[in-house]
Amino acid sequence: SLVLANIFLLVFGLTGIRIFTKMVELPKGILIPIIVVLSVVGTYSIHNNLMEVWWMLGLGIAGYILRTYGIEMGPIVLGMILGPLMDLSYRRAMMSVRNQPGYFFLDLVRNPISLILTLLILAMIIGQTPLWERCAARVKRKERNV
């Protein structure tokens, strides 16, 4: 069925490419209301719940405000999607070591793969600190003097 879906997508995509390019060239005054209506209908049709439409509109306004102030949306969306999954995985990991933080952190360095990943994560975190930047600047100065 996946192959059949890809074949139909290829056929419809190639035959509709002229129409799709014309749709993109529409003025924003026409295109934006169409997108908003389709978004509202799509949001409502998932669970037939009007509250989800209000959530969509509220989060859209919040996203616009955050974009206005220059706050990146990617990390926020990533946090909203992966946050519950990380919480569930953390709880499972703590239950597997009987809620003993010492064993939890010991498991991070016991396996070679988790040791490498832990060291890489620590290197990325330390690389963002001001102390690391000062050390890097000091090394650059020494290189220029040599």
Side-chain angles (χ1 to χ4, degrees):
S1 65
L2 186 61
V3 172
L4 188 63
N6 280 325
I7 291 171
F8 278 113
L9 185 62
L10 177 69
V11 170
F12 288 128
L14 291 177
T15 57
I17 198 161
R18 288 188 180 151
I19 297 169
F20 299 144
T21 56
K22 296 291 183 194
M23 289 172 69
V24 173
E25 293 173 357
L26 285 173
K28 284 187 180 180
I30 296 172
L31 195 59
I32 290 177
I34 293 172
I35 292 172
V36 169
V37 167
L38 289 175
S39 298
V40 169
V41 168
T43 301
Y44 181 76
S45 68
I46 293 174
H47 293 115
N48 295 333
N49 188 356
L50 191 61
M51 191 63 182
E52 292 183 8
V53 175
W54 290 112
W55 274 104
M56 179 199 69
L57 293 173
L59 290 173
I61 291 169
Y64 176 76
I65 292 170
L66 291 174
R67 179 176 281 179
T68 302
Y69 287 106
I71 299 173
E72 292 292 326
M73 292 300 299
I76 294 173
V77 171
L78 200 60
M80 289 177 66
I81 293 171
L82 294 180
L85 182 64
M86 285 179 53
D87 182 51
L88 180 66
S89 298
Y90 173 72
R91 287 174 188 265
R92 284 183 183 163
M94 287 303 287
M95 285 172 42
S96 72
V97 293
R98 296 183 179 86
N99 289 332
Q100 305 247 340
Y103 289 131
F104 174 74
F105 290 112
L106 184 63
D107 278 347
L108 289 176
V109 296
R110 190 177 296 166
N111 187 346
I113 294 174
S114 60
L115 173 66
I116 291 170
L117 290 174
T118 302
L119 290 175
L120 286 172
I121 290 170
L122 287 175
M124 285 189 282
I125 291 172
I126 291 172
Q128 300 298 318
T129 61
L131 175 66
W132 183 266
E133 291 179 15
R134 277 185 271 163
C135 290
R138 199 174 298 150
V139 168
K140 286 181 184 178
R141 273 183 274 157
K142 285 183 181 179
E143 288 176 357
R144 277 188 247 143
N145 291 337
V146 172

